[in-house]
Amino acid sequence: MPIALIDCNNFYASCEQLFQPRLLGRPLVVLSNNDGCVVARSAEAKALGIPMAAPWHTLKELARRHGVVALSSNYTLYADLSARVMRVLSRYSPLQEVYSIDECFLDLSGDPFPTRTGHAIHQEVRRLTGIGVGVGLATTKTLAKFANHCAKKRPEFSGVCPLLEFSPAEVDQLLAWAPAGEVWGVGGRIATRLEDLGIRTALDLKRAAPARIRSAFSVTLERTVRELNGENCLGLMAGPATRKQILSSRSFGQLITELAPLEEAVAAYASRAAEKLRSQSLVAGTVGVFLKTNPFRADLPQYERGLNLPLTLTTSDTRLIAQGALKGLRAIYRPGFGYHKTGVLLTNLVSAEQRQPDLFEDPLERERSQALMAAMDRINRAMGRGTVKLLAEGSDVRWAMRSENRTPRYTTRLEELAVAKAK
């Protein structure tokens, strides 16, 4: 079965460069919420050795010397451009698995010319969205991910690596080039343990005995070995994979000590999490909340605590989720600390269609809840997030993100449209 893995090149950085061509060819980093750490890098920033997750304040001297541009994350823009890329890709197959915001698998079964299609995808996504992509073509998902890695790292492929057309010897030659840690599902810790067993390259891993790998690691890594050998163990799922959890959290723009602004922040994060829940037609059975001080402030007392609470009903109602989160916050809050971050985590997620109704639940009240949430979502989509919100979210924004260098949301806000001047 021909499978294509399409992955956007340096996605967040590409989105920023799309509307600011002056940034092309320059080292560019995108920072996390509150401008804390590096979460995305352009190729030029990678070439300077700037690592992912590096605290921005430790890079300022390097940035000054090399003219590194740092921008606040602009997730509204990234999400919209991702949706446009995925719509283009959906034209090439009826079975599309959106794996993350910047990559997806396509089932190209029945396509008599998958390599030609791969090249068409490579050109059309850039032509229609302005975003560059790498395309890997293979017979299993793990090999397709590896082919995509080759497409991006080896210039001779020009962005498209049709592994399915290569001879077994040619495939092995590529696998011998890559460290085992570059294989999908093999993280740094597993790679270290594999090296202790003499398994250093992707080819070594392919040639490892599956039973030995299962015994030493897990059935998951055994499947990886089988997929490297062309055995299809991981089927494609239509649409995005069902999430196991939804997290909404942010670092604060300044340390917060009082309970009241923390409650507003938690209510706001609970609302964001509930919106995500409804957008994916899911309901949650458990709400968790956590609270932490800044671990980098060694001069201040430290405190960190989290708590999970079962919801009375599995629900996507913002009000019930916020009630649960606030109850948890009040249980874990301790005065006398400067808090740096809080967040809300929804777990025990199930499809809204598969939800089991509670014996004592009022069906009429449930219909009212669904209608109210649907109305809130429609208004906020049309008028902007936060047009209708919980009173508990308040208007005190001391806890809000810093985001001092966020670019305009060019594609979703009329008032932030890019302006072209003609002379």
Side-chain angles (χ1 to χ4, degrees), residues 76-113:
T76 304
L77 176 67
Y78 310 152
D80 185 64
L81 289 174
S82 170
R84 295 177 187 215
V85 170
M86 297 307 164
R87 277 198 297 274
V88 173
L89 295 175
S90 68
R91 301 175 184 176
Y92 291 91
S93 172
L95 184 52
Q96 176 186 27
E97 179 184 332
V98 179
Y99 182 67
S100 66
I101 191 171
D102 61 349
E103 62 182 324
C104 85
F105 292 98
L106 292 178
D107 179 356
L108 298 182
S109 296
D111 187 329
F113 307 107

Side-chain angles (χ1 to χ4, degrees), residues 242-314:
T242 301
R243 301 181 76 156
K244 303 297 183 188
Q245 62 182 36
I246 289 176
L247 172 66
S248 179
S249 70
R250 299 285 189 276
S251 299
F252 302 135
Q254 59 180 290
L255 296 181
I256 301 294
T257 57
E258 304 95 337
L259 178 60
L262 291 172
E263 289 178 328
E264 294 182 357
V266 165
Y269 300 156
S271 294
R272 299 295 90 75
E275 287 174 10
K276 293 179 186 176
L277 201 62
R278 293 192 294 273
S279 71
Q280 298 175 45
S281 301
L282 298 171
V283 292
T286 302
V287 59
V289 61
F290 68 85
L291 189 62
K292 60 195 301 184
T293 53
N294 187 345
F296 297 104
R297 291 293 303 270
D299 57 321
L300 297 176
Q302 297 292 310
Y303 175 78
E304 180 175 354
R305 179 101 186 264
L307 184 64
N308 291 317
L309 297 170
L311 291 161
T312 308
L313 302 169
T314 52

Side-chain angles (χ1 to χ4, degrees), residues 12-13 64 99 180 200 334 343 376 381 388 397 403 413:
Y12 292 177
R64 187 190 62 77
Y99 182 67
R200 296 181 175 81
R334 297 289 181 274
M376 280 182 61
R381 277 196 301 271
V388 179
V397 293
S403 292
R413 297 294 178 97

